[in-house]
Amino acid sequence: MLKIIGASSSGYYDHFTIEQVSKGGIFVVRPVENIPVDGVVLDRNSAVDESTLTGESIPVDKAAGSVVSAGTLNQSGYIRCQATRVAEDTALSQIIQMVSDAAAAMSLSSFSVVTNALRLNFFEMHDSKRDHKIKNKLKITIEKETKTMEKTLKIEGMMCGHCEMHTKKALEALEGVTKAEVSYKTGTAVVTLEKNISDDILKQAVVNQGYQVTDIQ
């Protein structure tokens, strides 16, 4: 169980709940416990798993002066820390809020967040052993639903599977064409486009293969 402690008027340490800890408060985290708020290590050493924030699976050594963050996992030793950001001000809370805001603005079918790509643009870790700062930027990858359109070409002159293949390759080689489904039996080519392409360009691609386009819908 996580212990939140602060100096009382009598000079002894009293225990508080996580909700009661405020900025500047002192807290102790034991091995295999989650760090509840953002803070800085005051004394003792440990290794902390920060993969929930940085995506890095290798634990980071922490010593006096090192920054720790809410939602990360203390692994190997006791650490005594001072809170710098609590509640909704923590780095983790701000990430959750940003993701929630993005989700609210987009439909579920077009919104996808890649968790292991999260990087904090406001989170700064300090490696006391190497004496340098590692800055991680928040990178939320949002996959937007791609709008596509289709055009159907009526083609004359295709006689076999090789004709289909040549026509398919010619159409799919055009910029903006994502897929072409060609059939010599029906004499059609259904072209899927990610952007509008003029009928003349589509027609010329087929004509260059030795076939005739009679109609485009």
Side-chain angles (χ1 to χ4, degrees):
M1 179 179 178
L2 179 69
K3 296 180 179 179
I4 304 297
I5 59 177
S8 68
S9 58
S10 62
Y12 294 97
Y13 286 101
D14 298 324
H15 293 76
F16 300 93
T17 64
I18 295 175
E19 290 75 14
Q20 289 176 305
V21 69
S22 59
K23 182 176 180 180
I26 309 299
F27 61 96
V28 173
V29 187
R30 299 187 298 186
V32 199
E33 287 185 341
N34 287 318
I35 296 171
V37 297
D38 293 352
V40 60
V41 177
L42 297 179
D43 55 52
R44 302 189 183 184
N45 303 319
S46 186
V48 176
D49 180 354
E50 297 179 331
S51 59
T52 54
L53 292 179
T54 67
E56 297 292 338
S57 60
I58 300 176
V60 179
D61 291 335
K62 298 294 182 179
S66 298
V67 170
V68 293
S69 296
T72 58
L73 179 66
N74 182 34
Q75 290 193 332
S76 59
Y78 286 80
I79 49 176
R80 192 169 70 95
C81 311
Q82 184 171 33
T84 56
R85 290 187 293 194
V86 301
E88 68 274 6
D89 293 330
T90 65
L92 180 61
S93 294
Q94 292 185 41
I95 289 178
I96 293 172
Q97 186 60 51
M98 291 172 67
V99 172
S100 177
D101 291 345
M106 302 175 66
S107 67
L108 291 177
S109 62
S110 61
F111 179 78
S112 174
V113 176
V114 181
T115 305
N116 63 1
L118 285 176
R119 297 292 185 270
L120 295 174
N121 59 352
F122 45 78
F123 178 61
E124 189 176 75
M125 295 180 295
H126 182 72
D127 183 342
S128 60
K129 289 189 176 181
R130 298 179 183 177
D131 195 25
H132 72 278
K133 294 180 179 180
I134 305 170
K135 294 183 178 179
N136 293 307
K137 294 182 178 180
L138 175 64
K139 296 178 180 178
I140 301 180
T141 303
I142 301 177
E143 181 182 353
K144 295 184 177 180
E145 182 180 7
T146 303
K147 293 182 179 180
T148 60
M149 61 181 298
E150 288 186 350
K151 288 188 177 183
T152 301
L153 287 67
K154 298 290 186 179
I155 304 173
E156 291 183 352
M158 295 191 299
M159 304 297 293
C160 62
H162 290 293
C163 299
E164 288 182 355
M165 180 182 67
H166 293 153
T167 304
K168 177 181 176 68
K169 286 184 176 180
L171 289 169
E172 290 183 345
L174 297 174
E175 182 180 358
V177 175
T178 59
K179 181 174 64 174
E181 296 180 355
V182 183
S183 172
Y184 78 90
K185 294 181 179 180
T186 60
T188 60
V190 179
V191 183
T192 303
L193 310 172
E194 62 182 2
K195 66 179 182 179
N196 190 29
I197 299 177
S198 71
D199 292 351
D200 289 340
I201 293 176
L202 295 172
K203 180 177 180 179
Q204 190 60 48
V206 175
V207 171
N208 288 344
Q209 301 307 309
Y211 312 113
Q212 297 298 317
V213 177
T214 59
D215 187 29
I216 298 179
Q217 298 178 350

